[in-house]
Structure formats: C-alpha cells, structure tokens
Amino acid sequence: MKSNIDIEKHVKGESQFIDDIIVPEGTLYAKVFDSTIAHGNILSITIKDAINIPGVIGIYTHKDIPGINQVGGIIQDETLFAVDDVQFMGEPIGIVVADSIETAKKAAGKIKIEYQKLPVITDPREAFEKNSLIMPPRTFSFGDTDSAWKDCKIIVEGKAETGGQEHLYLETQGALAIPEEGGKIKIISSTQSPTAVQRAAARILAMSMHNIEVDVLRLGGAFGGKEDQATHWAVMAALAASKLNRPVKLVLPRMDDMRLTGKRHPYSSDFKIGLTSDGKIIAYEATFYQNAGAVADLSPAILERTLFHATNSYFIPNVRTTAISCKTNLAPNTAFRGFGGPQGKFVIEAAIHKAAQKMGIDAGKIQKKNLLKEGQSFYYGQKVERCQADRCWEQALENFNYKKTINEIDKFNGNNHQFKKGSALMPICFGISFTNSFLNQASALVHIYTDGSIGVSTAAVEMGQGVNVKIKNAVSKTLSVNADKIRIETTNTTRIANTSATAASSGADLNGNAAILASNILLKRLLKSAGEILGIKDTDELKLEDGVVFHKGRKTELEWNELIIKTYQKRISLSAQAYYATPDIYFDKKINKGRPFAYHVYGTAIITVTLDCLRGTYTIDSVKAVHDFGKSLSPVVDRGQAEGAIAQGIGWLTVEEIAHSKEGMLLSNSLSTYKVPDIYSAPKEIEVIFLEDSENPFGPFHSKAIGEPPLMYGIGAYFAILNAMKAFRPEEEFKISAPITPERVLMALYSKSTKPVPSPN
Ligand code: MOS
C-alpha cells in the first residue's frame, strides 16, 4: 500500500479544502470583527457606517443569538460573541455578512467600538499572584518528597520556561453553512471535532442536534488547533445562515487566524531534583504555571497531561507536581500536538541537565540510569507494561554509534573556537488515550455495495496525518480485499454520531479498531453466505483471501463480486455498524491515580548541532532515533509523521517565537514576524529506525499511535544547543528558556557575567 491516499490529489491541486468547495448560488460571506484591546468594558458599538454599505446584508452580535451564547467545552466560560466586556485582543464581538468578502471586510472596518480599558495581564506568574486562575491548582504525588530530600547527595533547583507555538496549519480556520429544508443546517467545517461543532451550533441556535449536520472531508492541517477552536467560525456561519436562510461562508484570513486563535500554552516552571552521588533520581518536585489565556478552552485537560508526563521516561520514587492554569489576557491557548506533555517533559530534562552540570557528568548518564523498567509504576499509579525504554535507548546508542559521535564532537570542539558542536539524548515515553476516559470510544459504519465496492465511515478526521490510509489498510486486511475497492467517506455526524475529536494521537487506534469490528461482522456474514452458496456446512473451513473464497486452503470458484451480489440476492445485509471502547482504562481524579492510558509509546533520539559562536546561529546536524511504532499499519505514513513531528518539535524550541506587547497585542502576527523551520533550519539529517518486535494488543493489528510522541525528540535539540554553548563558555550558567533563538543564543554567549568570554588562545 502506498502512502497517504491524498498525496496524489494534493500534488495535482485536486484536493478540496473549505475554500475549494464550489459554493451554492446565493452564498454570502462573513467577516469577524473583534476587540482591539486586551481587557476592558464595551461602552458602545456603532454599526451605522457599516450597515449602509451596498452589499452588506447583516451584522450580528451576541444580541442576535437565539440560544445560549456559550461555546466553552470543559468550563462554560466562553461566549461566542463578547457581551459587556472583552478579555483579549481579537476576541470576537460580531460578524458582518455581505455579498462579497471584500464588502464584508470593508464594512467590518467601519464598525466603531468604544471601550473602557482595564489592566492587562500577559504573564502567568503575575496572574497567579493576582489569583487570576482558570480553576484550582492540581497536584499529583507519589512517595514522599519531603522526607526524601535528606537521602539526596545532589539537590538542584531551578526555573524553566517554554514559549507558545503557532499551529500554522496550511488551511486557515473556516466553514460553509448551508440552510436546508425544515430548518436544518448543514455545516461543512474544517474541524477535528465534528460533534463539538454540532453541539455548539445546536446550543447557540437553540436547535436540536439532529437539525445540525456537520461534514468534514479533510483539513489542511490542524495540529490540535482545530480540536476546540474550529467551532467558533462554524457556529458563526451557521448563525448567519439560519438568520438569512442563505449559505454563508466564513474563512479566516491568515492574520486573523493568527490573532484570533490560541496557540500552544507557554509555561513557566520551577523544579527541584534530588539524586544520589551515582545519579539515581530520588526525588522530584515541579510547579507548572500554564499561560491559559482568557478562557479555559482545553487548558484543564492540557494541564493534566503535563502532570501525567512530568517524569517523562523515568522512574522516580518520590514525586510531587503541581500545575496551575493561569488566566491571562491573551487569546485562549489550546491543544497543540503533545497537549501539555512536551511542556512537562521539558522541565524534567532541564532538571536533569542542571543536575548533570553540577555533578560534572553527561546528562545521558542520569537519563539512562533512571529509565522506566517493566513492572515499575508510573507516578499516577499505572503499571509499566511492555516497556521499551531500555531497548530504544540501547539500540539508538548502538545503531548510531553514539560513542563515536561524542568523540568526534569532543575532538571538533578542541580544534575549533568559533564553532562548537553539541549533542543530547532524548528518551520519550508518551501515554496513549484521551485522559478523559469517556472520550475513548468510536464507531464505524461499513457498507458493501452490490458491485463489490466498499464505503467506510468513521469518526476519524483526515488532516494530513494519513488516518484514512490506515483505516483503509485495516479494512482491507480484515476483509482480505484489495484496498482499491475501499473508499473512506467524509466524517459526517449523520453517519457517525457523537464523535470524539480526532486527537490525542488516537484517531487510527479508536476508529481503526471500530472499522475492524464492523468488517468482521460483515466477514462472518459473507462466509456463512459462501458456505450456503458452495454447499459447505462448516464455515470454519472457509476463508476469504485476496477476494477469493478458499475451502480448507483450496481456492474455490467463488470470488468477491459474485459472493457480494449473491449475498445481496439472498437478502443478507451488506452493511454493518460497530462500536469500540478502549478496555480497562480509568482514572480517579480525587486521588489522581488510575490506569489512564491504554499503552505507552517509547523512543530515544540523538540530536547533534553545530553552533556559530560569533553569530549565535546554529544548524541542527542530525536527529537519529529509534522509535516504537508497534507493527506499523503504514510505514511510509508513520515515518512521515515522525519526521514532521521532529521538525515541529525543534521549531517550537528553537526558532518559533511568539511575541506579545505589554498591552497584549500579538506582535508575531504574520509569516514575516513568525519563523517556522524551513529547509535551511530543519535538521540536515533525520533518520528514524523502527523498533522491532513491539507488540501492542490495543492498536489495530498491533500498531501504535504516532501523531504526537516524536514531537518531543525536539526537546533534545534545545539541550544539544545548550551543550554547544557550554563548550564555548564552560563556566557560564545559562538560563533555561525556550525558544533558544539565534538572537537569544548570541546574547547569552556574550552576556555580562563574572566569567569573561574566552578568547581564541
Ligand atoms: Mo491533539 S493536540 O490532542 O488535537
């Protein structure tokens, strides 16, 4: 089976995104108008100069909402349109609907809003001090850190910061809402979560969910940014469509998308780590200040995943972690590949880095010594099962000849002054399942048509990650028919109800398993029918293989197409629906213990960099990883996901810098001010080896989830650069603050400190 089934259409420009859909006659266009201040009260809204522009059909604010003005998913604290006050710059206040996008845009610019400004908070620690919180802090603990410190020979405390990250999906947020007969609205949305859109639209419009149909063909990227935050635009379009009984399209222009939507959460964290003299970690404490932005969005769930992943791949007998979701006047930060996990892992890696520095050893020694082992327990109570931490680590060091790499780096650094090399090891362990256990469910609907072709519907949303090819492969394997016979249908709430978001890396697991169950129902019926056609009583003797019925291992005359038509004529259903729920997962939020994850994904990467100490610029020379894919359902897709995630993780920690003014204005609001890794800043070499012999009973055909885990190898790039900086200024204590942009590297290398900058000789 080839790669992502969309690739050919993408290359030819044939793939349809929201903006490619041929709109029905009479379609109108909506433009959002939003707050120009980060915090304040709305005194007045004057629309008179806008509404009189020819072509403007309607202007809608909170007053026009027939239902409940509420789109908060976890906490009901988020209005669709601001009412009396605004809490971030870019907060939607209303929409203008016009007969062209140009007119809508022009009219939106004529709307005058008067505000009374209030104080602005952009920093999470300041928010915490002022008790501006999304919800009460949460603490996970294991063992007893208070009494463990006395057993530690080395104790290191510090602070670590990570920045935000713009999703920068190629397709911006958007939707097309089409009114249908009987008051029904069909919404074609670029969302990871069709049911979230359906539910919110029903609430806003005071309609039943069965009157809202959401359809998703594919997204041009999402990365978590369309898990919760695709809803708003879809619902706004639906509101206007319902008011005007005309189709309405709303697509955010890039700069609006960057201003109006949230990003990866920046975190500011404190840590304390204690070790024995030989590098065993005895105790670890961390406090995470999460910059949530103005409303909850998914922040509570993201915060929880930070706690789950705070110890990364390590067993630590005494742990206490506290996470605080801080409410600031920024656009609500949201899901982003890794969902808080990367932020948690960064801090333990920072702690290990600092401890290694104090002990005068390589961080790798500490990492290796504390890797999780089979039978131990994660600090949230789950048993460590089918642990691959050691195997990935050993194989990475061996396959990529780590010793030689280190020696070469030492030699290089001894011979060079302007350029220094650095390396770091990055083990990962990432839990797979939604941490809200109830979300771990999916269903599938499989139809076989009378010509033998197959249509498969699931809740999975294709967003470039290749979930469709995986589901196709799973059905093809189960029914043993050629994948060319199978079409993966759009994700549609009338075919698949109550969808969980395609998120948490679990799209292929949950929906693939449901599709396999549905296919097996059909397979059983078909074999029974084949037995009747062939006059064979014991259907256990029959098998379908490559579209042919076999009896006791011998080919029969009966082929797929004939079997299908005869089964149809015998009045046996050729459609099946099936439901999958991940077994044996639970989590008790009162004690913060349980078995939240079906399984874990492991891996280890080696990252090497070269730093130009005169300019602060660097190249990521190589990222080499041994990664646990389980038994891949599509090696090409999985490799692509790993490589993409690695580049995205490196981008987050190196060149991608979100900047806000003190007044809460997004300064990095376009591609000229926000840099993502391009061909020049991406790693010169990425090599990912598939770990062999990895079983996973929870994944379709023993595959493992791939979307998020490899992003966290990017953390190694941060520490590799830091190690190169240390090679230049060995005595300097660099602060741990990502992103480590070339500008910041340069300033740190030549910062005034008690230690002089070394000279060439
Ligand atoms: Mo993903 S960050 O769970 O949408």
Side-chain angles (χ1 to χ4, degrees):
M1 166 56 56
K2 39 186 193 219
S3 60
N4 185 327
I5 43 186
D6 279 342
I7 290 300
E8 207 176 309
K9 291 188 281 292
H10 286 348
V11 172
K12 290 181 179 166
E14 289 172 359
S15 303
Q16 284 203 341
F17 302 92
I18 297 290
D19 229 4
D20 299 310
I21 296 168
I22 298 169
V23 296
E25 200 176 313
T27 294
L28 301 170
Y29 299 85
K31 163 84 182 167
V32 180
F33 58 94
D34 56 274
S35 174
T36 52
I37 65 164
H39 192 198
N41 295 315
I42 299 173
L43 301 177
S44 67
I45 302 174
T46 310
I47 61 165
K48 123 174 149 305
D49 292 346
I51 197 79
N52 292 325
I53 294 176
V56 172
I57 315 284
I59 296 178
Y60 303 110
T61 65
H62 72 94
K63 291 184 184 142
D64 301 293
I65 292 175
I68 305 164
N69 181 15
Q70 183 52 245
V71 288
I74 298 176
I75 299 174
Q76 308 272 288
D77 67 347
E78 183 175 8
T79 55
L80 180 69
F81 292 135
V83 181
D84 298 320
D85 62 342
V86 287
Q87 302 192 74
F88 67 94
M89 222 180 264
E91 180 172 340
I93 293 173
I95 49 170
V96 178
V97 183
D99 59 8
S100 78
I101 187 64
E102 292 75 21
T103 305
K105 202 175 153 190
K106 191 169 141 205
K110 300 270 186 212
I111 292 169
K112 291 191 188 71
I113 301 165
E114 283 185 315
Y115 303 95
Q116 174 197 33
K117 285 191 179 179
L118 292 169
V120 171
I121 303 174
T122 59
D123 178 74
R125 289 188 192 247
E126 187 191 337
F128 174 69
E129 270 156 33
K130 296 185 170 151
N131 202 28
S132 171
L133 303 180
I134 295 287
M135 57 172 206
R138 286 190 67 186
T139 295
F140 280 21
S141 68
F142 182 63
D144 179 6
T145 49
D146 288 337
S147 61
W149 298 118
K150 63 173 178 347
D151 302 326
C152 302
K153 276 270 143 34
I154 314 286
I155 295 177
V156 181
E157 291 181 70
K159 194 173 160 182
E161 322 242 5
T162 47
Q165 186 173 24
E166 167 62 44
H167 299 86
L168 219 74
Y169 23 68
L170 279 179
E171 180 195 31
T172 59
Q173 305 270 8
L176 171 65
I178 304 165
E180 292 185 345
E181 190 189 282
K184 185 180 167 179
I185 309 253
K186 178 173 177 175
I187 308 172
I188 303 170
S189 165
S190 180
T191 179
Q192 288 173 252
S193 188
T195 292
V197 169
Q198 184 192 22
R199 196 182 289 126
R203 193 194 293 155
I204 295 280
L205 296 175
M207 280 163 65
S208 302
M209 283 172 78
H210 70 202
N211 283 327
I212 308 279
E213 173 184 350
V214 180
D215 191 76
V216 184
L217 172 54
R218 71 163 67 71
L219 321 186
F223 309 112
K226 296 172 181 172
E227 184 174 347
D228 224 41
Q229 298 201 357
T231 299
H232 309 60
W233 331 108
V235 173
M236 288 174 197
L239 173 69
S242 129
K243 290 270 171 199
L244 298 165
N245 202 27
R246 299 263 297 266
V248 176
K249 182 168 151 180
L250 197 172
V251 173
L252 291 185
R254 177 64 67 185
M255 281 174 83
D256 278 5
D257 190 301
M258 291 178 89
R259 280 189 316 113
L260 272 52
T261 68
K263 302 158 198 331
R264 184 188 291 285
H265 293 77
Y267 274 55
S268 179
S269 310
D270 297 319
F271 62 79
K272 183 177 178 184
I273 190 168
L275 307 90
T276 61
S277 53
D278 64 348
K280 187 126 199 71
I281 306 171
I282 302 289
Y284 178 62
E285 286 181 358
T287 306
F288 304 100
Y289 298 90
Q290 178 198 54
N291 191 338
V295 296
D297 189 89
L298 291 164
S299 295
I302 290 162
L303 185 89
E304 192 176 50
R305 195 171 272 275
T306 301
L307 292 169
F308 282 122
H309 291 89
T311 58
N312 191 16
S313 319
Y314 311 112
F315 176 75
I316 305 174
N318 303 285
V319 183
R320 188 168 64 223
T321 52
T322 297
I324 306 158
S325 189
C326 306
K327 183 175 155 85
T328 60
N329 298 110
L330 300 179
N333 288 315
T334 194
F336 196 135
R337 208 172 190 173
F339 207 78
Q343 290 95 321
K345 286 183 198 289
F346 183 81
V347 180
I348 181 82
E349 294 303 324
I352 289 173
H353 176 90
K354 286 280 178 199
Q357 196 173 344
K358 185 161 180 180
M359 295 168 76
I361 58 170
D362 195 71
K365 290 229 164 64
I366 300 175
Q367 290 171 313
K368 160 90 174 92
K369 196 167 197 84
N370 296 282
L371 285 179
L372 287 161
K373 303 267 181 306
E374 192 73 18
Q376 286 174 335
S377 130
F378 290 96
Y379 87 113
Y380 44 85
Q382 179 159 355
K383 250 213 149 80
V384 179
E385 291 169 292
R386 294 181 195 87
C387 184
Q388 307 288 5
D390 271 323
R391 286 183 69 218
C392 290
W393 179 277
E394 302 292 351
Q395 287 188 26
L397 268 63
E398 198 187 303
N399 281 313
F400 301 121
N401 209 341
Y402 180 64
K403 271 213 181 94
K404 189 166 157 240
T405 308
I406 292 289
N407 288 338
E408 282 170 2
I409 288 175
D410 284 347
K411 211 166 132 198
F412 179 93
N413 287 346
N415 293 334
N416 285 280
H417 181 71
Q418 185 190 335
F419 293 93
K420 296 290 181 192
K421 282 185 185 287
S423 75
L425 286 151
M426 185 63 205
I428 59 156
C429 169
F430 195 78
I432 302 299
S433 286
F434 287 96
T435 54
N436 253 339
S437 299
F438 77 87
L439 292 171
N440 296 287
Q441 53 173 313
S443 61
L445 177 64
V446 179
H447 296 312
I448 305 174
Y449 296 97
T450 50
D451 68 351
S453 66
I454 299 164
V456 180
S457 295
T458 72
V461 169
E462 174 63 50
M463 57 189 98
Q465 88 280 41
V467 70
N468 280 359
V469 76
K470 290 189 172 182
I471 290 172
K472 203 178 214 195
N473 285 358
V475 172
S476 161
K477 272 181 172 223
T478 308
L479 292 174
S480 198
V481 291
N482 195 308
D484 292 345
K485 282 206 183 304
I486 302 165
R487 181 181 185 93
I488 305 297
E489 303 286 1
T490 63
T491 316
N492 185 298
T493 53
T494 66
R495 266 179 273 116
I496 303 293
N498 310 324
T499 62
S500 290
T502 300
S505 305
S506 64
D509 282 10
L510 296 173
N511 296 286
N513 279 326
I516 290 169
L517 289 173
S519 302
N520 272 322
I521 294 171
L522 288 168
L523 183 64
K524 222 174 139 191
R525 280 186 212 149
L526 289 174
L527 289 177
K528 185 164 176 270
S529 166
E532 286 164 16
I533 294 164
L534 294 167
I536 292 156
K537 280 219 178 69
D538 188 359
T539 47
D540 286 348
E541 292 171 355
L542 294 173
K543 238 186 128 181
L544 251 171
E545 240 171 86
D546 295 329
V548 181
V549 178
F550 280 69
H551 179 232
K552 290 184 174 170
R554 297 247 296 273
K555 214 174 182 163
T556 70
E557 299 273 278
L558 189 57
E559 293 192 3
W560 177 262
N561 283 17
E562 192 191 341
L563 172 62
I564 296 305
I565 192 76
K566 285 195 166 148
T567 304
Y568 168 74
Q569 284 161 352
K570 275 148 44 79
R571 297 193 298 167
I572 294 168
S573 167
L574 292 172
S575 296
Q577 191 265 2
Y579 173 82
Y580 177 81
T582 310
D584 303 328
I585 47 170
Y586 65 95
F587 192 69
D588 183 342
K589 289 192 194 234
K590 281 190 219 84
I591 53 169
N592 293 320
K593 295 277 185 266
R595 185 178 188 282
F597 300 115
Y599 62 92
H600 290 77
V601 169
Y602 295 87
T604 293
I606 302 168
I607 298 94
T608 60
V609 303
T610 305
L611 174 66
D612 180 340
C613 302
L614 187 63
R615 296 177 176 83
T617 52
Y618 45 76
T619 52
I620 313 293
D621 297 324
S622 66
V623 179
K624 297 180 179 183
V626 171
H627 186 82
D628 171 20
F629 295 86
K631 296 194 192 322
S632 176
L633 265 179
S634 175
V636 185
V637 164
D638 278 350
R639 186 181 295 281
Q641 281 289 292
E643 291 179 357
I646 287 168
Q648 196 166 37
I650 291 174
W652 168 47
L653 293 158
T654 59
V655 294
E656 295 184 45
E657 187 171 25
I658 302 269
H660 287 96
S661 71
K662 281 214 161 50
E663 294 75 37
M665 180 191 279
L666 179 69
L667 301 173
S668 49
N669 65 350
S670 73
L671 283 162
S672 62
T673 47
Y674 186 74
K675 182 170 173 57
V676 284
D678 55 14
I679 195 69
Y680 300 105
S681 48
K684 296 284 159 281
E685 191 186 352
I686 299 182
E687 196 180 338
V688 182
I689 291 181
F690 287 52
L691 181 77
E692 284 178 3
D693 302 321
S694 171
E695 307 278 323
N696 179 30
F698 295 96
F701 296 101
H702 285 274
S703 61
K704 278 199 171 184
I706 180 64
E708 293 167 296
L711 180 129
M712 282 152 269
Y713 293 134
I715 293 169
Y718 183 95
F719 292 99
I721 294 167
L722 206 54
N723 286 335
M725 290 165 69
K726 273 170 55 192
F728 185 70
R729 289 188 77 174
E731 303 298 321
E732 187 65 25
E733 277 266 348
F734 295 109
K735 63 174 189 189
I736 310 258
S737 178
I740 193 163
T741 61
E743 293 86 343
R744 289 198 192 178
V745 170
L746 190 66
M747 284 191 281
L749 286 177
Y750 297 96
S751 65
K752 285 206 182 72
S753 84
T754 49
K755 315 285 188 324
V757 176
S759 66
N761 300 302

